[in-house]
Amino acid sequence: MVFLMGIFRAFSRFCQEEGRLMEKKEQKKWLKFRHKLTVWLLRPIFTLVVCLRYHVKIEKFKEQGDRPYLIIMNHQTAFDQFFVSIMFNRPVYFIASEDIFSLGWLSDVLRCLVAPIPIKKQTLDLQAVKNCIKVAREGGTIALAPEGNRTYHGRTLFMKPGIASLVKKLGLPLAIFRIDGGYGIHPRWSDVVRRGKMRCYISRVIEPEEYAAMSGEELFRIIEQELWADEAQVTGEFPHKKNAEFLERAMYVCPFCGLSTFESHNDRITCKKCGRVIRHNADKTLEGVGFDFPHRFVGDWYDAQSDYINQLELTALTETPVWEETARLSLVTPYKNKRLLKRNAMVCLYGDRITVDGRVFHFDDTSAVVVLGKNKLNIYADRELLQLKGSKRFNALKYVNFFHRYQNIKGGKNDEFLGL
């Protein structure tokens, strides 16, 4: 065991050094032979793990040939990148959130083995575009999810129209990768993988000469149509005894008592204000236990929650906290590491600000509030990036929604977009 740990540490140091060299020598090629070797060695392991965990059907892309692509996909599970890597013969260079580049030595290992392309989630990242151009010119295959987020409710999320400009700029064949059934198998808010049917396939390939003749608006409409999925409906059975567990990561508005806190166990979730209990069934439908619940699916409930927030008068919520809870507080140095500041910081959400252990992050002075994964929250303010990671029941989404509602009111917008 000691011998193996020594090898592992040596390998980590090697990857760290490789990562530093990559940063210092940007003029060198992005594509490396070791990326092909990594795919060759790890694809059988990924295939076995994915098939055992998700029981997914990944259809062969027989027409891919030996050429690079720009792959765009809808984003439904935490394993989507593995589905793509299994289908394509070449190494795939994924555009990935900056969060995975702030994990110290682990980030160095990822850079060394697969060289993902970093992007800052909260901004228009011109450096990410330049890196994509570099990879494309070197003959690399690039993959990204235009949504930038996993769906909480089963429907494809908002996509920025700028994706069409990126497609045209890179000039690669566009492969549209669809995932069907992923939300039913593994919702973003859940820790468990359900049984059920899931399918991954290429729905369409658009050649450069074909989309060159289109306007950006036309191309964007096609991308929206091809990636649109609505799993907020009955699409099969996805049984598990914990079908509702951790749904409170997504839901915080009760149809009967408004802003609230929920707690879930197994297939039921309970409003802690009014005590009503909702059951999440294997076919994704919802039902009240002993009463009529007004929403049939999580997607319907989520839409009603968004409508509620878009009508919320935040100025009435600035005197006392709407929510108080604790979370791990870390200071993130982008592309380097995270430093834990406090394990149990007191976090309070108001209608116009977030406070963390008394430190105030007013929405006027905060550039972005972003949810990552299942229950992490990034606050971008004063040239600092702070990350909150709460308990398993922590709802990071409400902070993002409040921030965007505040910005929409401040800007005099009728925009209903609440951050996802």
Side-chain angles (χ1 to χ4, degrees):
M1 180 62 71
V2 174
F3 174 71
L4 290 175
M5 287 299 294
I7 292 177
F8 183 73
R9 282 194 292 268
F11 179 68
S12 298
R13 285 195 295 270
F14 168 76
C15 289
Q16 289 173 348
E17 185 60 30
E18 282 290 312
R20 283 190 286 269
L21 288 173
M22 285 176 64
E23 290 178 1
K24 290 178 181 178
K25 301 178 180 179
E26 290 183 357
Q27 73 277 12
K28 286 196 172 183
K29 287 188 175 181
W30 195 284
L31 277 62
K32 306 287 185 182
F33 173 75
R34 64 172 175 270
H35 303 155
K36 294 182 180 180
L37 186 62
T38 298
V39 170
W40 183 74
L41 290 173
L42 296 184
R43 180 180 283 131
I45 299 173
F46 290 160
T47 303
L48 179 62
V49 170
V50 163
C51 289
L52 288 176
R53 183 168 174 79
Y54 283 94
H55 303 283
V56 59
K57 180 180 180 182
I58 302 176
E59 298 184 2
K60 290 185 178 180
F61 179 28
K62 297 178 181 178
E63 302 81 12
Q64 66 179 286
D66 185 23
R67 61 176 184 163
Y69 288 87
L70 173 61
I71 306 163
I72 59 173
M73 58 184 178
N74 58 318
H75 200 3
Q76 293 193 345
T77 82
F79 271 57
D80 291 351
Q81 65 273 19
F82 296 105
F83 306 149
V84 174
S85 295
I86 288 169
M87 178 181 289
F88 281 81
N89 299 325
R90 288 169 166 241
V92 179
Y93 297 89
F94 290 90
I95 296 180
S97 166
E98 62 185 295
D99 192 54
I100 72 165
F101 298 91
S102 304
L103 304 176
W105 65 266
L106 182 57
S107 297
D108 292 324
V109 172
L110 289 172
R111 286 191 187 96
C112 176
L113 296 182
V114 294
I117 301 167
I119 188 169
K120 293 180 180 177
K121 234 176 157 180
Q122 79 286 1
T123 63
L124 175 63
D125 192 341
L126 295 179
Q127 185 58 50
V129 174
K130 291 178 182 178
N131 289 336
C132 286
I133 294 171
K134 180 179 178 64
V135 172
R137 286 176 177 171
E138 292 178 15
T141 288
I142 301 167
L144 68 114
E147 299 164 86
N149 268 292
R150 284 174 62 193
T151 176
Y152 273 103
H153 46 68
R155 299 190 186 105
T156 302
L157 298 174
F158 170 82
M159 292 181 284
K160 292 182 179 179
I163 181 63
S165 298
L166 179 63
V167 171
K168 286 175 169 282
K169 190 177 291 287
L170 296 183
L172 295 171
L174 179 63
I176 299 176
F177 186 97
R178 278 193 61 93
I179 302 170
D180 293 338
Y183 173 79
I185 294 285
H186 193 187
R188 179 176 182 174
W189 43 264
S190 177
D191 281 352
V192 299
V193 177
R194 297 127 166 84
R195 297 189 301 277
K197 292 184 179 180
M198 183 178 175
R199 177 189 175 210
C200 300
Y201 59 100
I202 297 295
S203 66
R204 181 172 178 178
V205 174
I206 307 177
E207 299 294 341
E209 55 269 22
E210 183 181 353
Y211 62 67
M214 301 177 188
S215 68
E217 292 79 6
E218 289 174 319
L219 178 57
F220 181 65
R221 280 199 298 272
I222 290 173
I223 291 171
E224 279 190 310
Q225 291 167 3
E226 291 290 335
L227 292 183
W228 172 251
D230 183 3
E231 294 196 21
Q233 56 183 307
V234 175
T235 56
E237 294 280 319
F238 301 92
H240 198 286
K241 67 179 182 179
K242 296 183 178 180
N243 264 340
E245 199 148 290
F246 302 128
L247 181 53
E248 61 266 43
R249 291 169 176 167
M251 310 313 304
Y252 59 90
V253 172
C254 174
F256 301 97
C257 51
L259 299 174
S260 184
T261 302
F262 292 85
E263 186 168 323
S264 62
H265 296 282
N266 297 326
D267 66 346
R268 302 184 181 200
I269 182 168
T270 303
C271 174
K272 298 181 77 171
K273 268 191 180 179
C274 66
R276 285 181 172 87
V277 180
I278 304 103
R279 180 186 292 115
H280 189 297
N281 298 313
D283 63 357
K284 296 181 291 184
T285 58
L286 302 173
E287 61 178 345
V289 178
F291 69 99
D292 291 331
F293 190 63
H295 309 303
R296 193 174 179 213
F297 297 96
V298 170
D300 302 328
W301 189 2
Y302 188 96
D303 289 345
Q305 175 172 276
S306 297
D307 291 342
Y308 183 95
I309 298 302
N310 276 316
Q311 299 299 318
L312 196 60
E313 183 50 65
L314 296 183
T315 55
L317 303 173
T318 58
E319 296 300 321
T320 59
V322 186
W323 282 279
E324 293 179 280
E325 52 200 331
T326 59
R328 288 169 58 95
L329 173 64
S330 298
L331 176 65
V332 180
T333 303
Y335 310 121
K336 290 185 179 180
N337 55 41
K338 296 178 190 177
R339 180 165 60 88
L340 179 65
L341 299 180
K342 192 170 182 179
R343 293 188 179 276
N344 290 294
M346 176 57 68
V347 185
C348 299
L349 175 61
Y350 297 80
D352 61 352
R353 65 194 185 278
I354 301 168
T355 66
V356 184
D357 268 3
R359 183 176 175 185
V360 179
F361 297 93
H362 200 284
F363 293 153
D364 284 330
D365 307 317
T366 302
S367 59
V369 179
V370 178
V371 59
L372 300 170
K374 297 169 183 175
N375 61 343
K376 288 189 291 188
L377 186 76
N378 275 9
I379 301 174
Y380 297 81
D382 297 329
R383 298 184 180 180
E384 279 188 326
L385 171 50
L386 295 176
Q387 186 172 99
L388 300 171
K389 184 173 182 180
S391 70
K392 283 184 171 288
R393 303 188 185 282
F394 181 74
N395 183 309
L397 178 64
K398 61 181 182 281
Y399 294 87
V400 176
N401 291 167
F402 266 52
F403 173 78
H404 281 270
R405 171 62 177 158
Y406 181 89
Q407 297 298 335
N408 290 340
I409 294 172
K410 178 183 174 183
K413 299 178 183 177
N414 292 319
D415 193 350
E416 296 182 349
F417 178 64
L418 292 174
L420 273 82

